[in-house]
């Protein structure tokens, strides 16, 4: 019986992990100057010093846009590792690369805030009736089984909420901001699951807003 319960608990943990990460769009804005036909060639640039996170987010976002028929590329493929965004020389070289690659818009993504809150999760005792024989029908058998196998002690856990911003800039209008979207995620399971969910939500918002050329 213990083995069965352990197997059930393991299965619950697997299912919980498989649920993935949920990302919610909390707001979006579109400039009146945004072209009605939308954009077809978009460069994705994740603004973070974490190269691993940048790679994951840009890859998933570009893939989500490509599924909608958009030509999308990653900033990591154009910007050098030591790219300095405040250097006129670096900006000039990067701008030329973007133009040569044929991109007409840049989609930036960035983390704008993070909130953490610690809370206590109380312990619990699982209950399931069982026929009155075997370990259940004798006090010490029942006591020993329930004490060591079913009770889950309480513990402290930290919940994390991330607030993100995505901006779309029109390169044909001298880099003018034409769309901005805000989103949030709560306790992401992993960087990969977050990046996939985030990419889906942002690309959906762009398409619904008429920013993607079909």
């Amino acid at each position: 019986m213990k083995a069965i319960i352990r197997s059930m608990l393991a299965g619950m943990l697997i299912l919980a992990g498989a649920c993935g990460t949920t990302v919610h769009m909390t707001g979006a804005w579109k400039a009146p100057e945004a072209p009605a036909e939308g954009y077809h060639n978009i460069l994705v640039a994740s603004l973070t010093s974490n190269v691993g996170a940048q790679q994951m987010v840009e890859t998933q976002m570009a893939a989500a846009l490509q599924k909608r028929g958009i030509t999308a590329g990653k900033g990591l493929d154009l910007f050098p590792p030591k790219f300095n965004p405040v250097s006129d020389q670096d900006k000039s070289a990067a701008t030329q690369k973007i133009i040569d690659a044929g991109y007409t818009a840049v989609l930036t993504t960035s983390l704008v805030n993070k909130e953490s809150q610690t809370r206590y999760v109380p312990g619990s005792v699982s209950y399931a009736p069982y026929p009155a024989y075997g370990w259940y029908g004798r006090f010490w058998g029942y006591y020993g089984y329930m004490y060591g196998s079913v009770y889950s002690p309480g513990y402290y856990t930290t919940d994390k909420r991330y607030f993100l911003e995505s901006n779309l800039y029109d390169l044909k209008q001298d880099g003018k901001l034409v769309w901005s979207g805000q989103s949030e995620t709560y306790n992401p399971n992993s960087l990969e699951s977050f990046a996939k969910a985030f990419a889906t939500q942002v690309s959906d918002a762009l398409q619904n807003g008429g920013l993607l050329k079909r």
Side-chain angles (χ1 to χ4, degrees):
M1 189 66 179
K2 291 184 179 181
I4 293 176
I5 290 181
R6 292 194 186 100
S7 179
M8 291 173 63
L9 291 174
M12 291 170 64
L13 290 174
I14 292 173
L15 288 174
C19 292
T21 300
T22 301
V23 175
H24 298 285
M25 293 294 299
T26 58
W29 169 88
K30 180 181 177 181
E33 300 82 5
E37 67 275 13
Y39 301 89
H40 187 266
N41 297 68
I42 300 176
L43 177 68
V44 179
S46 182
L47 309 183
T48 174
S49 59
N50 186 322
V51 177
Q54 181 182 0
Q55 175 71 37
M56 181 65 71
V57 172
E58 290 184 356
T59 297
Q60 294 298 334
M61 188 68 72
L65 292 173
Q66 290 165 3
K67 288 181 179 179
R68 291 165 171 76
I70 304 301
T71 299
K74 300 178 295 183
L76 275 175
D77 294 337
L78 293 183
F79 303 147
K82 295 183 179 181
F83 172 73
N84 184 358
V86 299
S87 167
D88 290 337
Q89 183 176 356
D90 283 7
K91 287 191 293 184
S92 178
T95 298
Q96 191 59 50
K97 286 183 178 181
I98 294 173
I99 294 174
D100 292 344
Y103 296 112
T104 58
V106 176
L107 175 66
T108 63
T109 65
S110 60
L111 174 68
V112 295
N113 193 23
K114 180 178 71 172
E115 295 180 354
S116 299
Q117 182 179 11
T118 300
R119 61 185 173 89
Y120 180 73
V121 180
S124 62
V125 176
S126 301
Y127 174 76
Y130 194 78
Y133 59 83
W135 61 265
Y136 199 95
R138 293 291 184 271
F139 169 71
W140 287 117
Y142 173 79
Y143 186 101
Y145 178 84
M146 292 293 287
Y147 181 82
S149 299
V150 182
Y151 176 70
S152 298
Y155 60 93
Y156 284 94
T157 184
T158 300
D159 295 322
K160 294 183 179 180
R161 179 175 294 175
Y162 299 87
F163 300 87
L164 305 111
E165 183 175 74
S166 306
N167 294 326
L168 186 67
Y169 297 92
D170 189 326
L171 297 179
K172 291 186 176 181
Q173 298 187 52
D174 195 29
K176 182 180 180 63
L177 177 67
V178 292
W179 180 87
S180 181
Q182 295 80 42
S183 55
E184 68 175 0
T185 183
Y186 183 76
N187 286 343
N189 289 14
S190 66
L191 175 59
E192 182 177 6
S193 66
F194 156 72
K196 289 181 178 179
F198 180 58
T200 298
Q201 288 296 316
V202 173
S203 58
D204 282 349
L206 287 170
Q207 185 166 356
N208 294 336
L211 279 306
L212 301 183
K213 186 176 181 179
R214 301 178 181 178

